[in-house]
Amino acid sequence: MLRKLTFLIFFALACGSQENTQFKSADEINQLPLDHYQETYRPQVHFSPISGWMNDPNGMIYYEGEYHLFYQHYPDSTVWGPMHWGHAISTDLIHWEHLPIALFPDSLGYIFSGSVVLDKANTTGLGTLEKPVLVALFTYHNRAIEEAGGKDYQYQGLAYSSDKGRTWTKYLNNPVLPNLGQPDFRDPKVFWHKESRKWIMILAVRDHVELFGSGNLIDWKFLSRFGDQDGEHRGVWECPDLIPLKVEGTNEYKWILIASINQGPANRGSCTQYFVGDFDGIKFINGASSSEVKWMDAGWDNYAGVTYANTQQLADRTIYQGWMSNWEYAIVTPTIKWRSAMTLPREINLLTDSVRFWIRQNPVIELNNLRKDTLKVNSLKLSGEQDWSKYLSITEPLLDIDIVLRKSGQMSSWYFLLSNEKNEELAFGFDEATEEYFVNREKATLLNFSTSYQSKHTAPRISSNNEMRVRVLLDQSSIEIFYDEGDVVFTEQLFPTQPFTRMSLTSPNTVLEVEGAVYHLTSIWH
Ligand code: FRU
């Protein structure tokens, strides 16, 4: 990571575009001409920054009718650099209003990833009971200490806001959690644990996580560590989360520990693992064997995802959102004014078949409000290749496909193929020989921005139903595929040099019954 950061900074200084957006007011930002969001590859149903660089989502919280999305941001370039917290709000998780930058780097360092909580009981003493404050806990990354060869260059800072996140004051006695000599010590995710009546912070520390407890968000005490022997260790752990999820169909809760891994197993670059277990207020206990690794996403472009705070009070749902890129090639993707988008926000649920647990993900229901035209797929018998080009929109490649494929007996192979005049193509579907889902983007672009981009990704099917529900969300430069109601998910960036104008669905070996609908979507920026 260190070498990567140094390289990234050099790269940022050497070739970043120098548009300075730091001091724009909220009004200025939202008066930008609409064609600003029409650039090639600009996502139309996903959040992306107006300009400049973006990576991890930070400080996601629902508060007084607004969802807040902060994010790792370097406004002066389209590659990584001195980190700020960018800021946007939404009332529906889909349409976003850009707000001015929330946190700027200062003498203590860059502002790395972290979280925001509502200090309702005024445990910090920084607000009042009538006017509670939002509190941000984030990592300071100190370049000077790092360059001087010190190991303690990351420590945790605090900032608070009493005006619904519009302005932030940094705590005078930062850092609140100093570093005792651990080079990777970052990305605090904080929550209130009501059973033990304290705040819990989960922190990524090199290749494991550490838990800290506090009564006031300011004084932190070490509680425990997890992960030394569990899960995947080839790579640095980052951006952890710890959340309770109800096991579907029961009244039982399990705790989910999420940890992203950077530059891990060669073929995955940046990926996110999770563990299902229990949390007693002090330590997390993994419910599965320590060697088992569960992945949040089988695609390559969902990283650093964590959950929104405070959504349970609203609708008892847990919403997870990640950064839709991969450190393997994030700084060289072919966009010009901005870099990167977030994944769609997803509701997550915990499923079990009494042998194992798994997380199911689906786009939040609010996304359905973007549907404008409904093209019904009336029950049809699919045998061989069928041309589905008529379902593509001629104006914008924004699609929401929601279909069911079924057959008596064991499920057989099928695949979608999207292509264009340049013979760029993207294939995805199910392979009966391996019983795996796949996405193949080996020929998805003629652009050569990275040798690792062109690749095929696979994941085993979990369900054994002879009916498969498939939901596909296609945007200008991404596809998200939710197989079997979201049991297996692929998130992938796409950069065809021309929009895909052909689509087909193929059942090569047998007859499949297919029905459902294809929806065209409205852009969130119109
Ligand atoms: C993950 C990460 C975090 C860090 C941030 C820096 O993508 O490396 O660990 O806080 O990005 O921008």
Side-chain angles (χ1 to χ4, degrees):
M1 180 68 191
L2 263 187
R3 246 179 297 132
K4 171 143 256 152
L5 285 181
T6 315
F7 167 74
L8 286 169
I9 290 157
F10 171 76
F11 200 87
L13 296 173
C15 47
S17 74
Q18 293 303 313
E19 188 181 353
N20 189 322
T21 52
Q22 292 189 47
F23 302 109
K24 281 199 166 75
S25 69
D27 278 353
E28 269 179 283
I29 288 171
N30 288 298
Q31 274 161 21
L32 282 169
L34 278 177
D35 62 3
H36 194 86
Y37 297 99
Q38 313 266 295
E39 305 97 339
T40 311
Y41 302 130
R42 175 68 92 169
Q44 297 297 312
V45 299
H46 290 79
F47 178 79
S48 59
I50 294 173
S51 59
W53 167 266
M54 176 176 85
N55 56 292
D56 318 350
N58 295 148
M60 297 187 290
I61 187 168
Y62 176 77
Y63 180 53
E64 295 202 343
E66 295 171 338
Y67 294 93
H68 291 261
L69 171 62
F70 300 88
Y71 53 92
Q72 288 287 279
H73 185 38
Y74 183 34
D76 297 339
S77 168
T78 48
V79 292
W80 193 92
M83 283 291 111
H84 302 55
W85 271 27
H87 188 194
I89 50 168
S90 170
T91 52
D92 66 358
L93 287 162
I94 301 295
H95 296 88
W96 293 96
E97 182 185 339
H98 292 281
L99 292 183
I101 288 172
L103 294 171
F104 288 82
D106 59 50
S107 61
L108 290 178
Y110 300 170
I111 315 293
F112 271 21
S113 288
S115 50
V116 168
V117 290
L118 171 66
D119 186 16
K120 214 169 162 183
N122 196 27
T123 61
T124 53
L126 296 168
T128 59
L129 281 178
E130 300 69 45
K131 210 165 184 247
V133 283
L134 289 175
V135 177
L137 275 307
F138 55 87
T139 298
Y140 268 120
H141 178 93
N142 190 308
R143 288 272 296 149
I145 300 180
E146 185 189 14
E147 274 167 4
K151 287 188 173 161
D152 52 351
Y153 52 83
Q154 291 181 342
Y155 32 79
Q156 319 317 317
L158 184 151
Y160 56 98
S161 166
S162 49
D163 57 0
K164 294 175 73 180
R166 286 353 185 234
T167 58
W168 291 83
T169 308
K170 292 197 182 112
Y171 181 58
L172 266 185
N173 296 320
N174 271 337
V176 289
L177 180 61
N179 184 329
L180 304 177
Q182 307 256 33
D184 292 301
F185 188 70
R186 58 175 175 269
D187 308 339
K189 183 78 166 43
V190 175
F191 63 94
W192 177 254
H193 185 243
K194 56 179 183 308
E195 292 78 5
S196 62
R197 303 199 44 76
K198 62 177 178 297
W199 297 102
I200 303 287
M201 175 194 292
I202 182 166
L203 202 66
V205 186
R206 192 166 291 180
D207 69 344
H208 63 276
V209 293
E210 296 189 2
L211 299 180
F212 296 82
S214 173
N216 61 6
L217 292 165
I218 293 168
D219 305 300
W220 292 94
K221 192 171 137 247
F222 174 80
L223 297 176
S224 63
R225 57 193 275 165
F226 169 78
D228 295 280
Q229 308 298 332
D230 295 68
E232 175 61 61
H233 286 266
R234 290 171 293 164
V236 181
W237 289 26
E238 301 183 316
C239 300
D241 200 353
L242 184 59
I243 43 156
L245 274 188
K246 194 176 191 176
V247 184
E248 283 286 295
T250 75
N251 283 325
E252 191 196 353
Y253 277 82
K254 284 282 173 196
W255 283 81
I256 314 299
L257 193 154
I258 300 175
S260 284
I261 307 183
N262 199 0
Q263 299 295 298
N267 64 340
R268 298 186 74 109
S270 301
C271 48
T272 304
Q273 64 179 338
Y274 68 94
F275 305 88
V276 181
D278 295 299
F279 174 60
D280 61 6
I282 294 181
K283 58 183 183 310
F284 174 80
I285 302 122
N286 189 1
S289 101
S290 57
S291 59
E292 188 182 321
V293 184
K294 294 178 193 292
W295 299 112
M296 285 297 281
D297 203 302
W300 277 26
D301 294 310
N302 182 359
Y303 192 65
V306 289
T307 58
Y308 279 77
N310 278 4
T311 57
Q312 288 75 8
Q313 285 90 319
L314 179 71
D316 195 21
R317 59 179 188 167
T318 303
I319 297 160
Y320 162 85
Q321 191 166 20
W323 171 48
M324 197 157 54
S325 197
N326 187 312
W327 283 115
E328 279 285 309
Y329 43 72
I331 59 169
V332 291
T333 54
T335 59
I336 293 174
K337 213 177 239 167
W338 85 101
R339 257 211 193 93
S340 302
M342 294 304 176
T343 67
L344 287 172
R346 299 159 185 190
E347 181 167 343
I348 56 172
N349 293 289
L350 185 61
L351 278 286
T352 185
D353 58 7
S354 73
V355 177
R356 58 194 164 162
F357 290 97
W358 69 93
I359 286 182
R360 178 172 268 192
Q361 300 175 49
N362 281 293
V364 292
I365 190 86
E366 290 89 335
L367 184 77
N368 295 2
N369 296 333
L370 296 181
R371 291 171 170 178
K372 54 175 185 189
D373 305 323
T374 308
L375 308 176
K376 277 242 162 256
V377 179
N378 293 321
S379 183
L380 62 91
K381 303 265 181 255
L382 177 73
S383 163
E385 181 179 337
Q386 190 170 81
D387 186 11
W388 275 44
S389 306
K390 64 174 182 218
Y391 292 116
L392 290 171
S393 154
I394 41 166
T395 46
E396 277 177 324
L398 308 180
L399 281 194
D400 178 352
I401 304 174
D402 191 356
I403 54 164
V404 171
L405 299 105
R406 65 173 83 83
K407 159 177 182 291
S408 56
Q410 218 185 335
M411 201 53 190
S412 56
S413 298
W414 58 267
Y415 58 89
F416 271 103
L417 192 69
L418 282 158
S419 58
N420 61 18
E421 315 251 287
K422 297 262 189 87
N423 289 327
E424 292 165 316
E425 59 181 48
L426 176 86
F428 59 93
F430 178 69
D431 180 352
E432 67 188 34
T434 54
E435 291 192 33
E436 284 179 331
Y437 288 113
F438 67 90
V439 174
N440 189 342
R441 56 180 202 190
E442 280 162 353
K443 293 195 244 163
T445 182
L446 293 171
L447 300 175
N448 250 333
F449 57 88
S450 155
T451 47
S452 9
Y453 175 81
Q454 274 96 347
S455 44
K456 181 177 174 182
H457 314 146
T458 60
R461 187 176 189 214
I462 297 175
S463 166
S464 51
N465 265 356
N466 51 6
E467 179 170 298
M468 282 178 175
R469 174 139 182 231
V470 183
R471 178 105 187 258
V472 181
L473 273 309
L474 183 69
D475 199 344
Q476 298 273 15
S477 53
S478 66
I479 191 162
E480 282 150 293
I481 307 163
F482 301 84
Y483 290 112
D484 289 319
E485 317 265 347
D487 283 354
V488 179
V489 179
F490 289 74
T491 307
E492 313 275 5
Q493 289 186 90
L494 297 178
F495 303 103
T497 57
Q498 278 179 7
F500 292 125
T501 46
R502 292 192 293 256
M503 178 160 74
S504 61
L505 179 60
T506 302
S507 166
N509 306 329
T510 180
V511 182
L512 284 179
E513 207 181 297
V514 184
E515 68 179 317
V518 178
Y519 307 90
H520 295 158
L521 302 176
T522 320
S523 163
I524 60 173
W525 306 118
H526 288 171

